[in-house]
Amino acid sequence: AELRRRIDATTKDKRQQLFLDLFEGVCEKYEEKLLTDNQIDFDDMISGALKAVQFGEYVPRFRYIIIDEFQDIGRGRAELIKALRNNDAGSKLYCVGDDWQSIYRFTGSDISLMTEFSKHSGYTREIKLTQTFRFNNKISEFSTRFILKNKKQISKVLKTDKNNYSDKPQVLIHWRSKENDPLPDILAVTAERDPGTVYIL
């Protein structure tokens, strides 16, 4: 009910309202099941830990808080980190992440916590790691153009390892139509390059 009130107050987005129509009953049953089984889920763990810190049931004494995969953090975890830091003015927060690799929006991650890091966390010193060993220059160029279509992503220039340099295209886009099925050509090219098992999605 609270979520429906918030959506109605901020937007008349029909898609969000339809989602709630479908999801509300599922969510109620899920919460009932947790209560019946005397269980908690991950979000309950985070909110419970936050309350314990805020109400003094737990007094943290961490000088250093280190977080990996920071791009996937959500508001609840961010509030918990803030509460842990508030207990010690000298505590240091060290985060590692890459906004280009954020994939967990569906679980509540909020990329703005990373792209606007200093706004949420205060004074910040940033060290950029721009060297990649995962792929060659052609894949880097293609993926960079694709990712930066989203203006909310942090703009960066990746450098690939010199051993991964290629002058051949590494990303091929094949358009399928009624007249043309590119699948046989794709399989033929793949078989030439790397004979083995191929999975088609």
Side-chain angles (χ1 to χ4, degrees):
E2 171 61 22
L3 188 54
R4 190 175 293 280
R5 278 195 296 273
R6 282 164 54 191
I7 286 176
D8 289 342
T10 57
T11 179
K12 298 296 178 190
D13 187 331
K14 191 71 177 164
R15 186 170 180 261
Q16 289 184 7
Q17 291 169 340
L18 286 170
F19 173 78
L20 273 184
D21 292 342
L22 292 169
F23 182 70
E24 200 166 30
V26 174
C27 186
E28 286 172 3
K29 292 288 183 193
Y30 174 71
E31 293 294 339
E32 284 173 19
K33 178 72 174 157
L34 286 176
L35 199 59
T36 302
D37 293 351
N38 194 29
Q39 299 288 321
I40 62 173
D41 63 12
F42 185 73
D43 287 333
D44 294 331
M45 290 180 201
I46 298 299
S47 61
L50 175 59
K51 286 176 187 168
V53 173
Q54 288 175 328
F55 293 113
E57 297 166 30
Y58 173 73
V59 180
R61 290 184 173 83
F62 299 112
R63 291 297 314 277
Y64 301 97
I65 301 170
I66 302 170
I67 304 169
D68 194 15
E69 303 294 350
F70 189 79
Q71 74 273 2
D72 295 322
I73 200 163
R75 291 277 167 180
R77 283 175 278 172
E79 287 298 314
L80 176 57
I81 293 161
K82 187 175 181 181
L84 291 172
R85 291 185 71 202
N86 284 346
N87 198 63
D88 184 345
S91 69
K92 304 281 188 282
L93 177 62
Y94 182 88
C95 301
V96 178
D98 180 359
D99 65 305
W100 289 17
Q101 295 185 51
S102 179
I103 59 171
Y104 288 110
R105 180 71 186 105
F106 70 95
T107 64
S109 74
D110 184 346
I111 195 63
S112 73
L113 293 167
M114 179 160 190
T115 57
E116 301 171 4
F117 186 83
S118 58
K119 176 181 168 185
H120 299 287
S121 302
Y123 171 77
T124 299
R125 181 177 174 206
E126 183 179 307
I127 300 170
K128 291 187 178 180
L129 304 176
T130 56
Q131 178 85 36
T132 181
F133 299 92
R134 287 184 172 179
F135 40 70
N136 66 30
N137 57 305
K138 290 297 182 183
I139 294 175
S140 176
E141 289 163 12
F142 181 87
S143 58
T144 297
R145 282 197 310 274
F146 178 79
I147 290 168
L148 290 181
K149 295 286 183 189
N150 180 351
K151 300 302 178 195
K152 292 185 178 178
Q153 301 289 164
I154 297 171
S155 181
K156 63 189 101 163
V157 178
L158 294 182
K159 291 178 277 198
T160 55
D161 182 67
K162 63 183 177 186
N163 296 324
N164 280 342
Y165 181 80
S166 174
D167 55 2
K168 295 177 183 174
Q170 299 294 310
V171 178
L172 305 173
I173 300 175
H174 298 272
W175 298 106
R176 188 173 190 171
S177 65
K178 289 180 182 176
E179 301 79 34
N180 179 42
D181 181 3
L183 194 54
D185 292 337
I186 294 169
L187 290 173
V189 169
T190 305
E192 281 175 24
R193 290 183 181 181
D194 184 16
T197 304
V198 178
Y199 292 96
I200 308 291
L201 300 179

